[in-house]
Structures are given as C-alpha cells and as structure tokens.
Amino acid sequence: MEVPAYAKKVLNTSDNAVGGELIIYVDEATMAQIDKAGSVTRSGNSELDAIAEQLGAESVEHVFNMQLNPARLRRTGLDRWFVVRFGEDTDLEAAALKLASVDAIERVQFSNKVERPKHSKSVEVDPTTIVATRSTTAKFNDPMYDLQWHYRNTGNTQIFHTAKEGADINVEPAWELTTGRPEVIVAVVDEGVDFTHEDIAPNMWVNEAELNGVEGVDDDGNGYKDDIHGHNFVTNGSVTCSRPGDSGHGTHVAGTVAAVNNNNIGVCGIAGGDGSGNGVRIMTCQIFSNKESAGTMATARAIQYATEMGACILQCSWGYPGDYNPTSDEQYERERGYQQEAIRYFMSKNNCAALNGGAVIFAAGNDTLNTASYPGAFNEYISVSAYGPNGLPTTYTNYGPGVNIAAPGGDYYPNYSTMEWEESGLVLSTLPNEAYGYMPGTSMACPHVSGVAALVLSHALELGKTLTLDQLYSILLTSVNDIDSRLTGKYDTVFGTMNLGSYKGKMGTGMIDAFQAVMAVRGTLCVPATVGKECCLDLKQLRGDGTLSLKLLKEVEISDEVESRLGIKDVAVFGNKVYFTCEKAGSGTITIHAVAGGDTVGGGATMGGMDISIDVAVVSRMANNSNGWL
C-alpha cells in the first residue's frame, strides 16, 4: 500500500505514547479563525472540525497555558500547538494519519512519555548516628557534611575503598566568595520537591500571591490554583513527593542544589547560602508522581511555567524510555518539536539580572551508552556524565558524543568481607519527610552543575555583572579539573571490569570545579598545580598574547590561611617566573606584582613604572597513581 504524502506530517512514532491524546500544529489562518471564534473546541475550519468529530475527539485545547503570557506565546508561535483528546481505546496511529490529511494541520505528534533515569533507588541514613562525625574544620556546621565527599573529598577510604583526594567539585573555596543569592531561581523538573523539609523549606521559591491568597483559588490568574512553591503537572494539582512509587528523586536533586547551609541540620547544598536566608531558590515543577510520568505535553507545560514564573536555570534529571534514543540533533528536533520549542522558549527569557537567557542542564543518562541520551545530548544544552569518589567514570554513566562535562554521581563498592554493596560512595542529600539518604546516577551529577551555575550567577549579581548564556556555558565547561589522564588501564567493579581507556576524551571537558567557575566571573586566572611537584607561573602566560612587556617584582602575596591550606613552600622569583610547591590539595588565591613601564616602580624621587597586581587562583590536586588507577 502506497504511503500518502501527508503521512510525512506525522513526526514521530507511537512508541511509549500517552494514550488518548495527539498533538497538532495548525497553520496561521486556522489559528486566526480560532482566535476569532474565541474557542478551541471548534476551529472554524470545516475540514478539521469534521475529522475531529469523525474520530470522536472529546476535547481540543492549547498545549501551552494561554493564561501565562499569551502575547509572548503568540509572538513565538507556541499558541498554534493543540492537544486533541480521545477515548483511551482510540487507535492513535490511525487517528494521526487522519489528522495529517487535513491541510490546515502542518504537524502531528504523539505525546510520548518521559521517565526517571535508572538507579533512582534511595538508601536512607540515620542522622542521629552521624552527628558526632562532623569535622571541626568544615566550612559549615551541617552534621552530615563530612560524608558529602562530592563537595570535599579527603581521600577517606572509610567512605570509599579507593577514594581519591580532590575528586570533588572543589566548592569550599568558592563559598569564601559566594554561597548563593535568592534572586537566582532553579526550576527542578522532576518528582515533586518536599517543600516542607526542614533543610529545604527556607530556600523554596514562593509565589507570594498564592501564599497570601485563598485556598482553592487561582489568586494570581496564571491558570494554576495554590501553586505556592510550584505545580504538579502529572495530576494538574498540588505538589506531592512521597506517594507509593515515589523515590524522593526530586527532593534529593533539590538538596544538592540548595539544601540550607550552616543551620546545624542535615546536609549542605552547593548554593544553599550561609544560614542567613541568602540561598538560591528552588521551584518545583513536578513531572513524575507515584508510578505515573508526564508525557512530553505536560513536561512542555512545566517548562513554560518555569519560564514565566521566574526560573533562570532548568534542572533536568530525566529523559525518554530506553528504547528511544535519536541518532542526531536533527532527529530529536523533528520528533520532539513542541517540547524542544518549549525549552528554547525558556532559554530566550531573561529572568535574572545576571544572565541574558535561561540555562538548561540535563543528565547524560545511566545506560552505559557510548553517547549521551537525549534530550541532554542536544547541542544547546549542557549534558552531565558521572564519576565516583575515586575520580573515575561510574559503572553506569553514559559517555561520548553529546556529553559536555563530568560531575559526582557516586557509585557502590563491594565490601568483600561481607559480600555486600556499600552505599557511602553515593551522593548524600535530602529525602522526603525530613529524611536523608544516598542515591547514584547522572541524575545526581546533574544538580552539581546546576548548583555551580547558581553560584556563578549569584556571584555575578554581587559583582554587578550580566553574562550571556554562551558566557555562562563557557565558564562552566572550562572551569574543570582533568579526568582524562586517569583513564588508563582497567578497573574492577561490582558489575565487571571497566576498560578505562574507552572513556578517555568522552567524559566531557573535565570534572566541574566550583572555585574555578566563580573565579572566572571575577576574571581571575586559575592555574593547576600537582601536590608535591614544583609549579611554575610564567608572567607572559598570564596576560595578553604572551609578549607583553612587564617586569615581575620579588613580592608575592600569600595569606597565612592560603599558605596553610595548600601547604605552599619554596616560593621564589626568577626573571619573569614564580616558582613554588604545594604540599596539600586545595585552592586559594595568590597575588603577584609587576612593573608596567620600566624596570622599577616610580614614586617620590624615582621616575618609573606602575606597580600592578595580578591575582592568580591556584588549584592543587593530588598526582595520579603510578599504577594507572587500577
């Protein structure tokens, strides 16, 4: 049987489609007719209305909520997307072809499901057994902080048998500069966030109109009732987080981004503030509930909500069912058209004074594929792979094309004496109902990058700077520590032997470094150093094109605190180079001085040049093991 030409209008397949609904995109003339009629139940197009009646369509409505900035929706053409609803037993493939035959319909899509990534099972911990373990040297007083190796990894083998000092996001020195700002709103598109959790509640975004309004009433007129901290787009109702079948995934992600710091409770968040109420804010956009997941239509609405309600970072630890993985960006754009357009709608909105646009950050996926999974693989989003406490790729992470950067996702390791898997090498964060626990996954790696992005924007606000989206992405993807030099040899895991060479050059640009990212906002150069090895700073490499004419002075400013933290010794200046050695892993800023214009500094009876200072951020890391990380 010959396939009709109009069948090309059907952009994707019915695999994992939400039953009883199809998405259509109408032409401009039909949209004008609908606007004139003031109703979407009858289009005013006789052919379309006849086909809809023939198919037994129960309702037709806009995909996007027209009560949220309708003028902008019309300018972008998002008002032309509609969902046609049928009975659950309707043959969607036959219905899609019927709708595609209508001239007024330009595109037809199935509303496919999205899913939580694998490895989303949580393991709770008992806070009362951990309080006494808190280090007195920790930046904040949160009792579980020392177990969050992903923030500060001291190489503690009681946490992980091959833990590597420095295999973390290096956030402590970044906290010396910024800990977050409430003007930065992160939309967690995931399971619902437990907005009552004692370690999250102070950092939840609040819709003041609904908070101070009448229960059961849409006080702000945005189409959603009682959306005080966000909305449940699965049930189109109140946010939930602990129904049967929920894993706590959204609450765990939110805690990594912005659990409250220095409140003597639980864990720390990357951008959770310093306990004075200054953390970034979490907006919950729920797309998973119980065993149900939103389709691409409801997810698109969740993204539209985040856009219009003020979020500037979209935190996305979700993807599509495992049997759907496009092989190109072009295929993804075509087959997920209106969801892709919703994300671009978010990216084009300026909701934060520190950023022109909206940042989109996805998990790369947990299927051990040699490519990132979509949507994260798309070249306009950041896609995050996962490493463990040993600084090596996790046993589950996707890698390869589409992956942009690596962050801590955690991994189990076997306790061979008891033949049990131990969870302390996973990521520790918040769980619903005042709980805390471990979870693994690129889902857990992703909010580390979102949290660092939130710190970058917070510091930009403090400095009065505004970044473009490209500048923010560039800062994040170049503020990294090396991972490739570690990827040699083999590594035995609970799932078999990993050939580490297979991951070389495929984990993204490197391991995210919060300190480097924040320093980049300041315009401060970061240089790497290896513990125990002499480091050389060449003045000609620090500024300009390498040929600038400056004379280095003998004076090098190093504070007592930085000298102690990095164990800096043997500082010497020869010519235009500074030499020193770091005995400890860590980060800090030193200041070198040079003469601009002559050989000596002018002043008083001396005619000479100007004394200029150059701040240099030193990031010291342990050397790789000589055995190739076996």
Side-chain angles (χ1 to χ4, degrees):
M1 181 178 177
E2 187 177 350
V3 178
Y6 58 74
K8 293 181 180 179
K9 294 183 185 178
V10 182
L11 303 182
N12 59 347
T13 72
S14 60
D15 293 341
N16 296 299
V18 175
E21 66 183 44
L22 286 169
I23 311 298
I24 61 173
Y25 186 73
V26 302
D27 61 21
E28 290 185 2
T30 302
M31 190 62 247
Q33 289 175 319
I34 293 172
D35 275 343
K36 185 176 180 180
S39 168
V40 295
T41 57
R42 299 286 293 180
S43 70
N45 180 295
S46 58
E47 183 186 13
L48 173 54
D49 290 340
I51 291 291
E53 185 174 352
Q54 178 186 340
L55 292 173
E58 298 174 353
S59 66
V60 182
E61 63 181 270
H62 284 284
V63 166
F64 296 97
N65 177 2
M66 293 301 293
Q67 292 177 250
L68 273 174
N69 205 341
R72 188 165 186 261
L73 289 172
R74 292 188 177 96
R75 285 198 305 273
T76 56
L78 293 186
D79 63 324
R80 293 164 60 187
W81 287 103
F82 292 88
V83 55
V84 184
R85 300 192 190 279
F86 311 91
E88 284 289 329
D89 58 349
T90 298
D91 183 339
L92 289 182
E93 291 190 355
L97 280 176
K98 279 282 189 182
L99 289 169
S101 71
V102 178
D103 290 339
I105 295 177
E106 296 183 355
R107 289 178 263 177
V108 180
Q109 287 188 242
F110 298 93
S111 179
N112 304 85
K113 294 179 180 178
V114 298
E115 72 171 4
R116 307 170 180 89
K118 298 173 183 176
H119 298 280
S120 61
K121 184 178 179 181
S122 60
V123 180
E124 286 194 28
V125 297
D126 181 359
T128 62
T129 66
I130 295 172
V131 174
T133 69
R134 186 179 66 81
S135 169
T136 56
T137 63
K139 167 68 177 175
F140 298 129
N141 62 14
D142 306 78
M144 298 188 196
Y145 175 64
D146 275 0
L147 294 180
Q148 293 183 285
W149 60 267
H150 30 107
Y151 298 163
R152 182 182 66 168
N153 191 338
T154 62
N156 185 351
T157 56
Q158 292 183 326
I159 289 179
F160 198 81
H161 68 307
T162 55
K164 187 71 173 178
E165 183 178 0
D168 53 43
I169 68 167
N170 195 26
V171 72
E172 275 197 347
W175 283 337
E176 299 294 335
L177 300 168
T178 186
T179 57
R181 286 285 293 266
E183 300 95 322
V184 178
I185 301 171
V186 180
V188 174
V189 184
D190 208 297
E191 284 187 11
V193 175
D194 183 358
F195 51 81
T196 66
H197 195 293
E198 61 181 353
D199 221 0
I200 297 178
N203 283 344
M204 288 299 301
W205 167 78
V206 177
N207 182 350
E208 296 291 345
E210 295 293 333
L211 177 67
N212 300 310
V214 179
E215 186 175 354
V217 175
D218 179 14
D219 299 282
D220 60 358
N222 69 354
Y224 302 105
K225 298 176 181 178
D226 301 329
D227 56 317
I228 296 172
H229 302 292
H231 188 69
N232 183 339
F233 293 88
V234 183
T235 65
N236 195 28
S238 300
V239 172
T240 61
C241 62
S242 55
R243 298 178 63 200
D246 289 338
S247 66
H249 196 271
T251 304
H252 199 276
V253 162
T256 297
V257 175
V260 181
N261 297 330
N262 212 34
N263 60 351
N264 205 26
I265 297 172
V267 296
C268 286
I270 295 168
D274 59 12
S276 65
N278 59 339
V280 303
R281 297 302 187 244
I282 296 294
M283 177 190 295
T284 176
C285 297
Q286 185 173 355
I287 62 169
F288 302 108
S289 179
N290 195 359
K291 296 180 181 179
E292 297 298 318
S293 68
T296 47
M297 193 207 82
T299 305
R301 279 197 170 185
I303 294 166
Q304 179 205 7
Y305 180 92
T307 305
E308 298 301 345
M309 300 307 289
C312 63
I313 297 173
L314 205 65
Q315 157 57 42
C316 300
S317 288
W318 52 270
Y320 302 122
D323 55 355
Y324 176 75
N325 198 29
T327 57
S328 69
D329 286 0
E330 180 182 46
Q331 181 186 354
Y332 162 69
E333 284 191 271
R334 181 179 68 252
E335 296 181 349
R336 293 295 184 265
Y338 64 96
Q339 187 179 72
Q340 158 70 352
E341 290 182 19
I343 298 177
R344 282 204 172 119
Y345 185 79
F346 176 85
M347 294 171 67
S348 67
K349 185 78 183 299
N350 300 339
N351 285 330
C352 176
L355 180 65
N356 287 331
V360 181
I361 303 171
F362 270 93
N366 302 332
D367 302 297
T368 325
L369 296 176
N370 59 0
T371 64
S373 293
Y374 283 89
F378 189 63
N379 70 352
E380 295 178 11
Y381 321 145
I382 288 180
S383 175
V384 187
S385 62
Y387 64 84
N390 51 11
L392 299 178
T394 60
T395 52
Y396 52 78
T397 188
N398 288 358
Y399 58 101
V403 172
N404 303 115
I405 196 166
D411 227 341
Y412 287 99
Y413 75 87
N415 183 329
Y416 292 109
S417 63
T418 62
M419 296 308 293
E420 294 178 348
W421 293 2
E422 296 187 359
E423 64 277 349
S424 55
L426 309 184
V427 171
L428 179 61
S429 186
T430 47
L431 289 172
N433 303 318
E434 311 299 355
Y436 299 86
Y438 294 99
M439 296 184 85
T442 57
S443 283
M444 283 58 251
C446 185
H448 282 83
V449 178
S450 294
V452 173
L455 282 183
V456 166
L457 295 182
S458 296
H459 199 44
L461 284 171
E462 291 158 356
L463 297 175
K465 293 188 176 183
T466 300
L467 305 174
T468 66
L469 190 55
D470 284 346
Q471 286 173 329
L472 173 62
Y473 284 175
S474 177
I475 286 173
L476 294 173
L477 299 183
T478 59
S479 299
V480 296
N481 292 308
D482 171 61
I483 189 171
D484 279 354
S485 63
R486 306 174 182 189
L487 302 182
T488 60
K490 299 183 184 296
Y491 175 58
D492 291 328
T493 78
V494 292
F495 301 106
T497 300
M498 293 174 64
N499 180 1
L500 294 176
S502 300
Y503 295 83
K504 195 163 190 172
K506 299 177 182 178
M507 290 291 287
T509 55
M511 302 190 295
I512 185 77
D513 188 298
F515 176 64
Q516 291 187 47
V518 171
M519 294 303 284
V521 182
R522 302 169 68 90
T524 301
L525 178 73
C526 289
V527 296
T530 301
V531 171
K533 292 186 177 181
E534 185 177 68
C535 179
C536 174
L537 296 181
D538 188 337
L539 181 60
K540 290 186 177 182
Q541 297 172 349
L542 300 183
R543 286 291 186 273
D545 63 1
T547 61
L548 77 172
S549 179
L550 293 174
K551 180 178 180 180
L552 194 61
L553 298 176
K554 296 294 183 181
E555 180 183 4
V556 179
E557 291 182 37
I558 306 175
S559 70
D560 291 342
E561 195 277 331
V562 170
E563 183 177 23
S564 174
R565 184 198 306 163
L566 275 66
I568 294 177
K569 67 175 188 177
D570 300 333
V571 181
V573 178
F574 295 101
N576 269 352
K577 296 180 180 179
V578 178
Y579 297 87
F580 61 90
T581 302
C582 294
E583 293 295 314
K584 300 177 183 177
S587 302
T589 302
I590 67 175
T591 302
I592 62 177
H593 289 264
V595 182
D599 292 333
T600 59
V601 177
T606 303
M607 180 182 292
M610 179 184 294
D611 181 350
I612 64 171
S613 61
I614 303 172
D615 289 336
V616 178
V618 178
V619 181
S620 172
R621 286 289 181 260
M622 297 293 291
N624 296 335
N625 289 346
S626 59
N627 64 0
W629 288 72
L630 291 176

